Amino acid sequence: MPKVSVLMPVYKTEESYLREAIESILNQTFSDFEFLILDDCPDDDREKIVKSYKDKRIKYTKNERNLGITPSRNKLIDMAKGEYLAIFDHDDISLPTRLEKEVKFLDENIEYGVVSSWTKHSNKDKIIKHPITDHDIKVALIQNCELAHSAAMVRKSILDDNNIRYEADFSPSEDYRLWFRLAKLTKFHNIPEVLFIYRWHDNNTSISQANKMMNMTWRIRALFKAEFAADYQEFISKAKHTANITLFGFIPFLKIIKQENKTKVYLFEKILLAKIKTSSRLGEK
């Protein structure tokens, strides 16, 4: 039995992207894995590309008909034999030590069910630094999906024992919904290191389905706020609020930034005029 099952759905992936994705997994420093590749386009010719790699860890399957991303992800979970599930998308890049470091973390921290990492976009040098601790991740999830889905590794037992799978009703934000369901069942962690590169191009789901994704995101946030009221209040209290005052409607004059119980006032948006600290009990009755 493999330690890890790498799950990669494929759909009309550009050949160069697909090859780079596959090779990034085959070149991992951790080798005890099965690489499940599920093609959701029966009329496509990606089989030739995948089978050009003579690696016994690759297990290629093609759907008889197009199922869509959510059923395909669930099919991959059901096929997986590994203790851990490494989620991976067909056009992204896992850096060489990704699996090794995520496996090490889950092995050493049995109370954690999900681990991900910091990430980068292929067209930018900036590091996306997600919150690290379980508490900070869960508070941040109220506003953003702060666990990089394609960089994540999940204990399969958490999903199986609680009968949890991706939900098509929340597609294309099914990953955000999954984290929401797991939040009360296990702990989350982000390794503070870039282990994954997200490829940014015009066919990204976050671009091609932006409106639908935003609508689903708001729907999931509403559910999250209702069930995680305490975390939501903490998020609101820590959120940064900014106000700008202009002269004659266009000349920047004052910039006021309020976060938690601290307020800073800037003249012409740059010169610090005042720092104000208020009691956390101010206004309580």
Side-chain angles (χ1 to χ4, degrees):
M1 300 286 286
K3 181 75 170 180
V4 175
S5 296
V6 180
L7 313 182
M8 187 173 79
V10 172
Y11 183 80
K12 294 185 177 180
T13 317
E14 181 178 317
E15 180 174 352
S16 62
Y17 295 169
L18 180 58
R19 288 191 178 278
E20 194 166 4
I22 291 172
E23 290 166 13
S24 78
I25 295 298
L26 298 182
N27 292 329
Q28 290 289 305
T29 56
F30 181 87
S31 60
D32 185 13
F33 64 83
E34 61 175 354
F35 191 3
L36 306 182
I37 301 176
L38 178 62
D39 195 337
D40 193 33
C41 188
D43 300 327
D44 202 30
D45 62 352
R46 294 303 178 263
E47 181 174 359
K48 297 177 182 177
I49 299 171
V50 175
K51 290 192 172 180
S52 69
Y53 294 92
K54 308 303 180 184
D55 193 307
K56 293 181 179 180
R57 294 172 297 183
I58 294 178
K59 299 177 181 178
Y60 175 84
T61 308
K62 181 183 289 189
N63 287 334
E64 294 181 1
R65 60 182 179 85
N66 175 251
L67 297 180
I69 185 59
T70 303
S72 293
R73 290 195 191 283
N74 288 336
K75 185 174 178 178
L76 282 165
I77 293 173
D78 293 337
M79 292 166 56
K81 297 178 180 178
E83 178 183 356
Y84 303 146
L85 307 178
I87 301 166
F88 189 52
D89 282 345
H90 58 165
D91 51 2
D92 295 327
I93 301 165
S94 288
L95 296 184
T97 59
R98 174 199 164 182
L99 297 185
E100 177 185 349
K101 291 183 177 180
E102 291 179 346
V103 166
K104 184 176 186 293
F105 180 85
L106 291 179
D107 279 349
E108 295 177 352
N109 299 275
I110 60 174
E111 71 274 24
Y112 285 80
V114 182
V115 61
S116 190
S117 72
W118 289 354
T119 62
K120 288 176 67 174
H121 284 172
S122 60
N123 61 338
K124 297 179 181 179
D125 290 329
K126 182 180 179 180
I127 296 174
I128 303 171
K129 297 182 178 181
H130 302 287
I132 298 169
T133 67
D134 175 67
H135 174 268
D136 289 348
I137 292 169
K138 287 175 180 174
V139 170
L141 276 174
I142 294 167
Q143 184 67 15
N144 296 300
C145 190
E146 291 291 356
L147 280 167
H149 181 244
S150 291
M153 184 175 287
V154 181
R155 289 186 193 275
K156 189 172 189 290
S157 60
I158 295 288
L159 303 180
D160 291 345
D161 293 348
N162 295 282
N163 195 28
I164 290 177
R165 292 294 187 267
Y166 293 98
E167 298 175 61
D169 286 348
F170 292 90
S171 182
S173 297
E174 69 277 359
D175 56 331
Y176 196 12
R177 172 61 173 170
L178 179 68
W179 301 150
F180 165 65
R181 294 193 66 191
L182 292 177
K184 284 189 174 182
L185 299 172
T186 190
K187 298 178 77 171
F188 298 154
H189 182 75
N190 277 316
I191 295 172
E193 179 181 349
V194 175
L195 299 177
F196 177 84
I197 305 224
Y198 180 74
R199 191 182 297 280
W200 194 257
H201 55 83
D202 292 341
N203 292 324
N204 281 131
T205 299
S206 53
I207 296 177
S208 62
Q209 300 189 57
N211 289 335
K212 186 177 180 182
M213 180 174 285
M214 181 55 66
N215 290 336
M216 287 300 168
T217 297
W218 281 109
R219 181 182 169 193
I220 295 165
R221 284 176 185 168
L223 293 171
F224 209 101
K225 291 174 187 177
E227 293 199 25
F228 289 80
D231 285 338
Y232 179 64
Q233 289 304 318
E234 181 177 348
F235 168 77
I236 292 299
S237 70
K238 291 184 176 180
K240 182 184 290 187
H241 303 279
T242 302
N244 293 287
I245 299 174
T246 60
L247 295 176
F248 311 110
F250 67 93
I251 300 175
F253 180 51
L254 296 178
K255 184 174 184 178
I256 304 169
I257 300 176
K258 183 177 180 181
Q259 188 168 17
E260 297 187 69
N261 62 338
K262 298 178 183 178
T263 301
K264 294 182 180 180
V265 182
Y266 293 87
L267 178 65
F268 305 126
E269 298 187 339
K270 294 182 179 180
I271 303 171
L272 181 63
L273 282 182
K275 292 182 180 180
I276 305 168
K277 185 173 183 179
T278 58
S279 170
S280 59
R281 299 182 62 83
L282 186 64
E284 290 185 359
K285 295 182 180 179

